[in-house]
Amino acid sequence: MTSKDSIVALSSGRLPAGIAVIRISGPHTRFVVETIAGPVKDRVAMLRSLKAADASVIDHGLVLFFPGPGSFTGEDVAEFQVHGSRAVAAKMLETITGIEGVRHAEPGEFTRRAFLNGKLDLVETEALADLVNAETEAQRRFALRNADGAQSEVYSSWRRRLIHARAMIEAEIDFADEEDVPGSVSEAVWSDVAKMIDEVGRHIQGFKAAEIIRDGFEVVILGAPNAGKSSLFNALARREAAIVTDEPGTTRDLLEVVLDLNGMRVRIVDTAGLRERAGKVETIGIERARAKAGGADLVLLLEDIVDPQPVGAVPTGVPLLKIGTKADLKHASEGAYDWVISSKDGTGLSGLLDEIGRRAALAIGDAGDVLPSRLRHVELLKEAKEFLAAALAGQSQELRAEELRLATDRLGRIVGAVDVEDMLDVIFSQFCIGK
């Protein structure tokens, strides 16, 4: 794709900063660089005086020029590295956009041009967005592996196998009487299709682990009023994130903090105390608490060792740890609880955090696994699997070949190998300006 205009943006972080990186891409890039900084060598960082339209010096900084197609976007790309003041960055952007044919970039437009010019496929593009937004080590590793093409290769390999299968089936249909066409290829083709159905199914199951890596391992704290939920919440957050009083029903809404446990994102959710007799507003909080716990990755059910209170029904089918609280006031009965803690003196808190981290690591599984990283991928994979199953169960070779074509199309949509124009605006709007 050849762009008619060039785009420019501040690609570094919030100003003021040590340096500001201003990136430009498009057909006018070399002219812009030579106008502001004079002649430069390709792929060589050069210290230059950067001049405005009136020949006054804006700043002294580094200039790098990357000729296309060997650049991030596939177009001519340049970067100006200047002092990171708001005034310098603003004057640079004003000077560059003052040149005809250059405009400010929209969010994600640099990456969009890279995709349209074949430098990245759609999965790698999404992974790049994840890498930019990564907050934990697990997120970084996951995003980097996908950005390097591991996920794309899985989908592309399945697509190549289906294209080959379709070619064999269609050859058998059209040229069954020709000597150079192998005798029945159906057995080998459909055996591979059955194998692929199993592979796709196992891959889809990995989406839960990918969600935990991206969104966090969710831990919901449940218990009766005054069981120590908010005290534990604050102790884990290491700050006064929730109000703690002796009055029942103090916490009425869901409160959340995010922890980084051994490189994994863990979300801790405090909830309203569970009891039967409650006011109208508190009852809404209790219903939200039960609903939240029903979808959690782990529930911590707290009980006051000194004064145990009933909590009614608790979610089933969700991993649960029964926690005895206020261990500083009384010893718990042997075997009554999975864990015993005191938020006041810290008893058991370190071990509880280790246990949460261990369970989060188990939920993520092998960090080297290739997992579907978007719900979009999962939906298309499910459709592809359905078409493969229909092809395997079909009777007419012509219809079975068509089912294979539809499955191939769905895999192509994941990586952007077929028309995905309707998704591009949504995907690239997730990026910051300058990327």
Side-chain angles (χ1 to χ4, degrees), residues 226-227 302-309 323-333 336-337 339-342:
N226 293 333
L302 273 57
E303 185 175 274
D304 184 344
I305 296 172
V306 179
D307 183 24
Q309 296 293 323
I323 311 293
T325 64
K326 306 182 183 179
D328 55 303
L329 301 178
K330 181 180 178 181
H331 290 293
S333 302
Y337 303 100
W339 218 271
V340 177
I341 65 169
S342 168

Side-chain angles (χ1 to χ4, degrees), residues 77-312:
V77 173
E79 289 186 356
F80 297 97
Q81 298 182 11
V82 296
H83 292 95
S85 75
R86 292 186 178 92
V88 169
K91 187 63 177 178
M92 284 292 297
L93 290 171
E94 177 189 325
T95 300
I96 294 171
T97 54
I99 297 174
E100 187 176 355
V102 184
R103 60 174 175 81
H104 289 285
E106 298 175 358
E109 193 168 3
F110 285 92
T111 308
R112 183 168 187 154
R113 291 190 177 198
F115 167 72
L116 294 174
N117 288 323
K119 307 298 287 188
L120 300 169
D121 66 30
L122 211 51
V123 173
E124 291 169 336
T125 295
E126 291 168 323
L128 192 58
D130 288 341
L131 188 60
V132 170
N133 295 318
E135 297 177 340
T136 67
E137 177 63 14
Q139 290 174 336
R140 183 195 67 80
R141 291 197 306 266
F142 180 59
L144 185 61
R145 181 171 173 80
N146 290 338
D148 284 344
Q151 190 180 357
S152 296
E153 178 54 30
V154 171
Y155 303 145
S156 296
S157 66
W158 284 338
R159 190 164 178 263
R160 288 193 296 269
R161 284 162 63 183
L162 285 181
I163 291 172
H164 175 74
R166 285 171 53 202
M168 292 297 96
I169 293 298
E170 290 171 5
E172 188 176 73
I173 293 171
D174 296 336
F175 307 107
D177 297 332
E178 299 291 334
E179 293 183 0
D180 58 347
V181 175
S184 176
V185 297
S186 295
E187 184 176 346
V189 166
W190 300 120
S191 175
D192 190 51
V193 168
K195 183 180 178 182
M196 196 179 306
I197 291 173
D198 184 58
E199 292 172 4
V200 173
R202 290 199 307 271
H203 183 70
I204 291 172
Q205 291 174 0
F207 182 58
K208 177 60 178 176
E211 280 188 307
I212 291 174
I213 293 173
R214 284 169 47 85
D215 302 329
F217 183 79
E218 186 173 73
V219 180
V220 174
I221 303 174
L222 287 183
N226 293 333
K229 299 184 302 301
S230 294
S231 294
L232 174 60
F233 183 74
N234 289 342
L236 296 178
R238 297 183 180 180
R239 60 185 175 88
E240 295 298 314
I243 299 173
V244 178
T245 72
D246 293 331
E247 180 182 344
T250 301
T251 302
R252 297 189 174 187
D253 210 344
L254 303 176
L255 301 177
E256 181 177 305
V257 294
V258 177
L259 306 180
D260 185 336
L261 295 183
N262 301 321
M264 295 170 291
R265 191 172 195 260
V266 176
R267 298 180 0 250
I268 309 292
V269 182
D270 189 17
T271 63
L274 305 182
R275 59 174 175 169
E276 297 301 324
R277 296 180 180 179
K280 185 176 181 180
V281 175
E282 189 181 347
T283 298
I284 295 174
I286 291 171
E287 291 173 352
R288 288 180 177 177
R290 295 188 190 279
K292 191 69 169 176
D297 298 306
L298 176 65
V299 170
L300 304 181
L301 181 60
L302 273 57
E303 185 175 274
D304 184 344
I305 296 172
V306 179
D307 183 24
Q309 296 293 323
V311 296

